[in-house]
Amino acid sequence: MESNMNTAETMIKTLKWNTRQRLQYIEIMAFYTGSVSRSDVSSKFGISDPAATKDLKLYSQIAPGTLSPFHKNIRKELTKMPKLYFLDLGIRNVVLDNFDEMEFRMDKGMMFENLTFKLLDDRKDVRKLNFWRTQSQNEVDFVVNGKYAFEVKF
């Protein structure tokens, strides 16, 4: 496991500075707003849509944890923007370049939500994991197996 982390850390460190900045932007947008789109990245950095798509694909390789919205209509569930999570919080810290102790971190709530995602995602009795968001942007962090809703606070 340590070799996988070293490989990912090495990959992130060898990226060009501007690519790392875009990945950091994707990470921040994903955690603070729950979503990030190709047009967000391309307009913010003045890059082409294919370049923004490449950055989003790279991000999903580093942080493949995604959480789809809960919806009774499966087509709507598939087309709504998912929330993105890191499966390895160490990699998240590298991307954000933040290694502060938990008590001093401004993002401790997001880290705790990410950790909760990872713990739920690893459970064998969790067959389906979603989040729920209303049109007015009120949100429940996790809906487990379509029955149990959890709001995570640190």
Side-chain angles (χ1 to χ4, degrees), residues 1-14 91:
M1 180 156 173
E2 190 167 318
S3 65
N4 288 346
M5 182 147 166
N6 288 339
T7 303
E9 283 183 26
T10 301
M11 182 183 79
I12 290 168
K13 287 179 181 179
T14 61
I91 299 297

Side-chain angles (χ1 to χ4, degrees), residues 40-74:
D40 290 336
V41 177
S42 63
S43 66
K44 174 73 176 173
F45 292 95
I47 60 174
S48 67
D49 283 350
T53 299
K54 184 178 175 185
D55 288 342
L56 288 166
K57 284 182 181 177
L58 177 59
Y59 176 86
S60 69
Q61 291 170 351
I62 297 168
T66 60
L67 191 61
S68 299
F70 175 76
H71 203 284
K72 291 192 185 238
N73 180 334
I74 192 67

Side-chain angles (χ1 to χ4, degrees), residues 26-35 59 83-86 89 92 96 110-111 113-114:
I26 291 168
E27 172 69 4
I28 290 167
M29 289 297 292
F31 274 94
Y32 283 98
T33 68
S35 65
Y59 176 86
K83 289 178 77 170
L84 305 172
Y85 292 97
F86 272 96
L89 290 171
R92 180 184 184 274
L96 291 175
M110 274 59 84
M111 280 194 61
E113 183 178 331
N114 199 136

Side-chain angles (χ1 to χ4, degrees), residues 13 46 101 108:
K13 287 179 181 179
E101 291 183 32
K108 60 184 143 215

